Every structure is written in structure tokens, then in C-alpha cells.
Amino acid sequence: MIEPGTRRREIDEVASELFHANGYAATSVRDIARALDIQGASLYAHVASKEDVLWSIVDHAATAFEHAADAATTEADAADPVDGLAALVEAHVEVITADPERSSVFVTEWRHLSPDRRAAIARRRDAYEARFRETIADGVAVGAFRATDPALAATFVLTALNGIATWYRPDGRLSADRIADHYVDLALRSLSEDHR
Amino acid sequence: MIEPGTRRREIDEVASELFHANGYAATSVRDIARALDIQGASLYAHVASKEDVLWSIVDHAATAFEHAADAATTEADAADPVDGLAALVEAHVEVITADPERSSVFVTEWRHLSPDRRAAIARRRDAYEARFRETIADGVAVGAFRATDPALAATFVLTALNGIATWYRPDGRLSADRIADHYVDLALRSLSEDHR
DNA sequence: CCTACCGATCGGTAGG
DNA sequence: CCTACCGATCGGTAGG
């Protein structure tokens, strides 16, 4: 972090849009600068490297998901895995729809980070996914969810949720709230005991 | 198509792996050539442009999905939307696990195609997604699926399926068949009428 | 399929 | 935040 001011946040915002639309590798430093009406080289008065911009976006997105899951877990009934999973799904959808560009960069572009940073994000993603996996396993254990593979089910649900980041439009047919409601329902039903 | 021989297929195969691992924009023509033990410029004896390689991969993947869905629909009970959706899901998973690299390039890299080709793929994707959407709508109409938004449910299921391309490993914990079975089950349950 | 080469663009630095 | 500039690499061509 070279400069914590408004300009630095504008860089992340503009870069999120460009990385989301065209991908990190296909976005040049000059593309970002042009969107801010400054010269390409001037961007380096604010950031040390192009990868630092990606890191800032990915790190903040990861933190947003983590904090939302913390809050969801705190508010949910700790004794009810169904309520717990519903809260995690709802929180995840809300983070995505609140900032789909940043979220989609987090989901799709983290492979372009340096090995160290990529490994750090991989660990945080694993820990985050474990919350879903363990909540599902708890639900299976108490008979609230049918017997299934918790890891695979967690992956099924999380990839469906992350897909929202690629297609969501704030002015689309469905509001963020309605998407969240539908996705909570689809996710819970996919794990429900009685099938047809 | 400049040359339809074995070398041309090797290029697609090697390029699929590289585009899958690093993305289209971050893969250079010389990266592809190096993997084939030839000079960068020599690649142009086989292809007219880097984008033509991407197009070949994406076009073949789209065709594979379309043909698999055709066969699935032919084999399924036309009067039973549940059987129809199960067949579509199973076929989709099988195409992905048969060639995860090509499938993931199809799912994630098509935005790097020229506007004309991108539009053509968008149309084919829409038509493909419509099969899922209409099968779900049929199931809702006959009471086999609960009343839901067919378009959103189709997106939920398809994004979960496409996620397989990003994490599947042939030597992983679960075989392709078991993944297909589980995903058919998860997808059907997500649309089931009776919830808990 | 090779060597030799092209103009354009890349991320980034120096010095103000 | 600017001008001027750097070496490296990009996709692609010419001519064999």
C-alpha cells in the first residue's frame, strides 16, 4: 500500500471493471490509466506494480467474503445446520451482487498472482469452502440433509453461487434479493432428504 | 482450417492445456510452439492466427456439448422431463470430464474471440441453455418440478456443472462416473417438489 | 518447418 | 502526475 487515499480506491474500482470485462492479462497498465485520464507511467505514483492492483482487489474481495460469512454464522442458529447453510449462501450471494466485478476478478483471475500470494489465497479459499463443507456435514450427521458427499456438495453449491458474478447485472430482470432467495432455496433443496 | 492433419490436432491439444492453465491472453504463440518443439513462427505453417486456435478449440467444444445433448434427448423418455433433465446433466458432465481442458477454455476464454465469432458462440450457448430451461419449464408444467424460475434454475445448474471443468482431475478422489451420478442427483433434488 | 526480421505494445524506471 | 525512455516480448510476415 503506497497511498491509501481516494485515488488508490479509484484505481481498484476501474481495474476491477477492466479485469472483469477483459481479464487481467488482456488489460494493460495503460488501459487502467486511460480510464482515469492519466498517463500510463503516472499509475506508478500510486502502485508498485500491475500485480499489486490485482492483489488489492483479490485480497479485499476475500476479506469481504470472510467477514460476511462470520456475520452470517454469528446470526444463524448454531444448532441448525440448515439455517447455517442458508445464512452462508445468502451472505455469499450478497457479497457478489454488492460488487460483481470485484467478486468475479476474485473468482477467475487469482491464478495471475505471484506464487506466494496465490498460495495465500488458496489457503483462504480452502478455509472458506470448509465452512460450507462442515455445515453440510453437520446437517448430514443430524439427519437434516440426506447422506451425500459434503465436499462435492459444497463445491456444487459454491460454483453455482460464484457463477452469479459472471452473469449478474444490477439492472437485470431479478433483483439481488430475489436471486439470493432463489439460490438459498435451490441450494437447500439440492441437499434435502426426500426426493420426489 | 489450413491443414487438417495430426499436427493440427496436436496444436489444439497443447493450446487447450496452456489456455486452461494460464488463460488465452497470458499464453503466447511461442509458448504453444515450445510445447511442440518447433519455432514460434513455424506455427503459422499450420494456423493463420492465434485466435484461430482458440476458435478451433471453442468451436469443437461447443459441437461436443451439442451432440451430447442431442444424443441424451434422443435416449431419454420424451414424456418425462425429470428423465430428460437427468440425461442432459449426465451428458454435460461426461463431455467436461472427457476433456476438461477444452471444456474450461470453452467456458472461460470465449470472450477473447473476435466479435463475430463471439456472437456466434453466444447464440449457440443460448440455444444450449434453452434446452435445460425448457426441460425444467416442462417439468414445472406437469408438476414434476416445483414451481420455480426455469431460467434461473437452469443457470444455477449449468454454472455448477461448468465449474467441474475448473477443478476436475482425472486422478482425483472421485471418478467421472461418480461425479456425474452425484451431480444428476444434486441437480434433480434442487428442483424437487417436497422440501424437508 | 526454419532463419531473420517487422512494427507495436508491454510493464516499468529516471528525473523532474 | 508528467515527459522521455528502457529492454523484452508480442503476434505475425518474407522468403526459403
Side-chain angles (χ1 to χ4, degrees), chain A residues 1-16 19 32 36 38 42-60 117:
Chain A
M1 182 164 48
I2 292 182
E3 180 202 316
T6 308
R7 199 49 150 177
R8 188 61 191 80
R9 275 194 293 273
E10 285 177 342
I11 291 171
D12 279 8
E13 197 180 323
V14 152
S16 290
F19 294 166
I32 300 170
L36 295 164
I38 62 176
S42 302
L43 208 76
Y44 289 91
H46 304 282
V47 301
S49 71
K50 183 188 173 188
E51 194 226 313
D52 277 3
V53 178
L54 177 61
W55 170 249
S56 174
I57 295 165
V58 168
D59 182 36
H60 282 106
R117 287 169 163 174

Side-chain angles (χ1 to χ4, degrees), chain A residues 65 85 88-89 92-93 96 106-107 125-133 136 151-165 183 187, chain B residues 156 159-160 163 167 183:
Chain A
F65 281 112
L85 185 63
L88 284 175
V89 169
H92 194 90
V93 175
I96 290 176
F106 170 67
V107 169
R125 286 179 67 107
D126 285 348
Y128 185 79
E129 193 163 336
R131 297 173 180 228
F132 284 69
R133 194 190 315 133
I136 292 170
L152 194 66
T155 299
F156 176 88
V157 169
L158 265 171
T159 50
L161 299 188
N162 284 337
I164 298 174
Y183 266 52
Chain B
F156 176 88
T159 50
W167 57 259
Y183 267 52

Side-chain angles (χ1 to χ4, degrees), chain B residues 163-193:
Chain B
I164 297 173
T166 67
W167 57 259
Y168 176 73
R169 298 285 176 275
D171 59 346
R173 180 171 64 89
L174 295 169
S175 70
D177 280 355
R178 280 186 60 80
I179 293 167
D181 288 347
H182 271 103
Y183 267 52
V184 167
D185 210 48
L186 287 160
L188 291 186
R189 276 174 205 271
S190 72
L191 295 163
S192 67
E193 186 61 61

Side-chain angles (χ1 to χ4, degrees), chain A:
Chain A
M1 182 164 48
I2 292 182
E3 180 202 316
T6 308
R7 199 49 150 177
R8 188 61 191 80
R9 275 194 293 273
E10 285 177 342
I11 291 171
D12 279 8
E13 197 180 323
V14 152
S16 290
E17 286 170 26
L18 291 169
F19 294 166
H20 168 64
N22 311 314
Y24 174 77
T27 302
S28 73
V29 166
R30 284 158 180 81
D31 289 334
I32 300 170
R34 193 179 310 118
L36 295 164
D37 266 316
I38 62 176
Q39 294 299 311
S42 302
L43 208 76
Y44 289 91
H46 304 282
V47 301
S49 71
K50 183 188 173 188
E51 194 226 313
D52 277 3
V53 178
L54 177 61
W55 170 249
S56 174
I57 295 165
V58 168
D59 182 36
H60 282 106
T63 302
F65 281 112
E66 288 158 356
H67 286 176
D70 288 345
T73 301
T74 301
E75 287 166 26
D77 181 351
D80 183 0
V82 177
D83 192 48
L85 185 63
L88 284 175
V89 169
E90 188 183 8
H92 194 90
V93 175
E94 279 170 4
V95 171
I96 290 176
T97 52
D99 197 337
E101 290 85 8
R102 185 181 62 172
S103 301
S104 99
V105 170
F106 170 67
V107 169
T108 65
E109 305 295 327
W110 63 294
R111 61 178 166 184
H112 294 109
L113 290 169
S114 69
D116 280 8
R117 287 169 163 174
R118 197 166 56 235
I121 287 294
R123 279 192 298 272
R124 289 166 74 179
R125 286 179 67 107
D126 285 348
Y128 185 79
E129 193 163 336
R131 297 173 180 228
F132 284 69
R133 194 190 315 133
E134 285 160 17
T135 303
I136 292 170
D138 288 350
V140 172
V142 302
F145 295 140
R146 105 190 124 92
T148 186
D149 186 316
L152 194 66
T155 299
F156 176 88
V157 169
L158 265 171
T159 50
L161 299 188
N162 284 337
I164 298 174
T166 68
W167 58 258
Y168 175 73
R169 299 285 176 275
D171 58 344
R173 180 171 65 88
L174 295 169
S175 70
D177 280 355
R178 280 186 60 80
I179 293 168
D181 287 348
H182 272 102
Y183 266 52
V184 166
D185 208 49
L186 287 159
L188 291 185
R189 277 174 204 271
S190 72
L191 295 163
S192 67
E193 187 63 59
D194 20 59
H195 176 34
R196 295 208 296 155

Side-chain angles (χ1 to χ4, degrees), chain B residues 7 39 42 45-46:
Chain B
R7 199 51 150 175
Q39 294 299 312
S42 302
H46 303 283

